[in-house]
């Protein structure tokens, strides 16, 4: 049986993307955007008062959870939160979101988009920032949700970004357990990038994989492969069959809730057809991982892992080809 733990560690070190504290470029992008926003809103008063509009900042996403991987196409996705010190009654959610959007959109070195869950700021240097806008609401945070020119579902929506980040980070009190968990999550994200040819809308969101990994994770002191198999098996088991509304055919569906408010299905954006594809790819992943684990040849096992994770995974040399020929006694040496 092969587990190739040494190769998995090498693979992890190659795909790992550090935190903001470890990556000076990402840190500079984050700090510059927050500085711009503070300058933009320096004269803004909360409506009906003389109180300045202030905010606190929050690191979100894989950087804050220490599960980020290097992007395939040099498009670094930075997730940040801005928590305004207001109540929901002080601003209409769309009004405050548009205030941020208009201020950031005045700069000419970036492209700014108004999206349902956030303001997206794109830079020509291969970075984009998803900026989520929150109301502190006296300790009961809500996110400004909705599109700019649509009144459908446009509101302050309950959220707990700090609770979610803490829940993921507190997977264990043991440092080695946490490190292995983060490695395994990175393997899943890399598989997603390869299996879905990038991170388009048809791919499952990374937060979904992270949440399911957090719930199913079981530490293994000898290798990362067994915890990975356990998690993938749990993800597959979470699927159930339903009838697709349009075709009336059976498809595989999945409903995984956030562990914090608003407890919604993290895969809600995926269509029934996309969820069915997700199931089939997870099923293939589980089969491949088990096949690699049960392979006697580490060389052959590594070839399977390369198909799963791409060329960043190290190839183990074929021992039959690299074995030193035995010393043969000849008549000259007798």
């Amino acid at each position: 049986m092969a587990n190739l733990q040494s190769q998995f560690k090498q693979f992890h070190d190659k795909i790992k993307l550090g935190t903001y504290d470890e990556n000076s470029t990402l840190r500079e992008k984050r700090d510059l955007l927050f500085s711009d926003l503070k300058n933009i809103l320096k004269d803004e008063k909360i409506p009906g008062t003389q109180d300045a509009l202030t905010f606190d900042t929050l690191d979100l996403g894989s950087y804050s959870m220490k599960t980020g991987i290097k992007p395939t196409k040099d498009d670094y996705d930075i997730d940040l939160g801005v928590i305004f010190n207001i109540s929901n009654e002080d601003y209409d959610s769309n009004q405050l979101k548009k205030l941020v959007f208009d201020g950031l959109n005045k700069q000419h070195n970036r492209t700014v988009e108004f999206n349902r869950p956030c303001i997206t700021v794109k830079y020509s240097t291969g970075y984009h920032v998803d900026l989520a806008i929150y109301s502190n609401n006296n300790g009961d945070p809500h996110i400004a949700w909705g599109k700019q020119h649509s009144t459908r579902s446009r509101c302050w929506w309950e959220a707990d970004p700090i609770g979610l980040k803490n829940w993921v980070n507190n997977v264990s009190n043991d440092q080695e357990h946490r490190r292995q968990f983060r490695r395994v999550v990175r393997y899943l994200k890399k598989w997603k990038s390869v299996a879905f040819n990038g991170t388009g809308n048809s791919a499952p969101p990374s937060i979904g994989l992270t949440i399911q990994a957090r719930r199913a994770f079981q530490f293994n002191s000898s290798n990362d492969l067994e915890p990975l198999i356990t998690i993938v098996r749990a993800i597959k088991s979470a699927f159930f069959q339903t009838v697709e509304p349009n075709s009336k055919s059976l498809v595989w569906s999945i409903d995984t809730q956030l562990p914090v408010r608003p407890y919604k299905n993290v895969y809600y954006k995926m269509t029934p057809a996309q969820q069915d594809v997700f199931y089939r790819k997870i099923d293939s992943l589980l089969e491949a991982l088990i096949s690699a684990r049960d392979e006697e040849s580490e060389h052959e096992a590594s070839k399977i892992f390369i198909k799963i994770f791409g060329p960043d995974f190290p190839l183990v040399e074929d021992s039959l080809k690299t074995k030193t020929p035995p010393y043969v006694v000849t008549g000259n040496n007798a």
Side-chain angles (χ1 to χ4, degrees), residues 43-107:
D43 297 324
E44 178 72 16
K45 305 292 183 182
I46 297 174
T49 76
Q50 290 301 309
D51 297 332
L53 178 62
T54 61
F55 61 84
D56 297 310
T57 60
L58 179 66
D59 293 336
L60 301 172
S62 60
Y63 298 100
S64 66
M65 298 176 188
K66 302 178 183 178
T67 58
I69 64 169
K70 295 175 182 176
T72 304
K73 300 178 181 179
D74 291 330
D75 182 16
Y76 289 82
D77 181 3
I78 305 174
D79 295 305
L80 302 173
V82 178
I83 305 179
F84 285 93
N85 298 309
I86 60 170
S87 66
N88 293 349
E89 291 73 28
D90 290 331
Y91 281 90
D92 173 81
S93 62
N94 190 265
Q95 174 193 5
L96 182 58
K97 202 168 171 183
K98 191 173 186 306
L99 184 67
V100 174
F101 171 81
D102 289 343
L104 295 175
N105 202 30
K106 292 179 181 179
Q107 298 287 340

Side-chain angles (χ1 to χ4, degrees), residues 144-241:
W145 191 266
K147 294 183 178 180
Q148 182 177 4
H149 301 297
S150 172
T151 57
R152 183 180 179 183
S153 302
R154 199 172 76 186
C155 64
W156 285 114
W157 192 262
E158 60 181 350
D160 188 4
I162 298 176
L164 177 60
K165 181 171 73 170
N166 291 340
W167 180 81
V168 172
N169 288 336
N170 294 335
V171 62
S172 172
N173 293 326
D174 187 280
Q175 187 177 55
E176 287 304 315
H177 291 210
R178 292 195 299 271
R179 286 174 176 169
Q180 184 175 71
F181 167 73
R182 290 164 183 158
R183 290 197 302 268
V184 173
V185 171
R186 286 187 171 105
Y187 303 151
L188 279 173
K189 290 183 177 182
K190 188 62 177 178
W191 161 78
K192 183 185 91 163
S193 178
V194 172
F196 290 87
N197 192 27
T199 56
N201 292 332
S202 64
S206 292
I207 188 59
L209 298 177
T210 302
I211 288 171
Q212 289 190 276
R214 164 69 167 79
R215 287 176 171 147
F217 174 68
Q218 295 179 18
F219 176 72
N220 186 296
S221 60
S222 62
N223 66 75
D224 292 350
L225 181 55
E226 287 301 333
L228 179 59
I229 290 175
T230 298
I231 289 168
V232 173
R233 184 178 282 117
I235 294 174
K236 178 184 175 182
S237 298
F239 280 87
F240 54 92
Q241 284 195 303

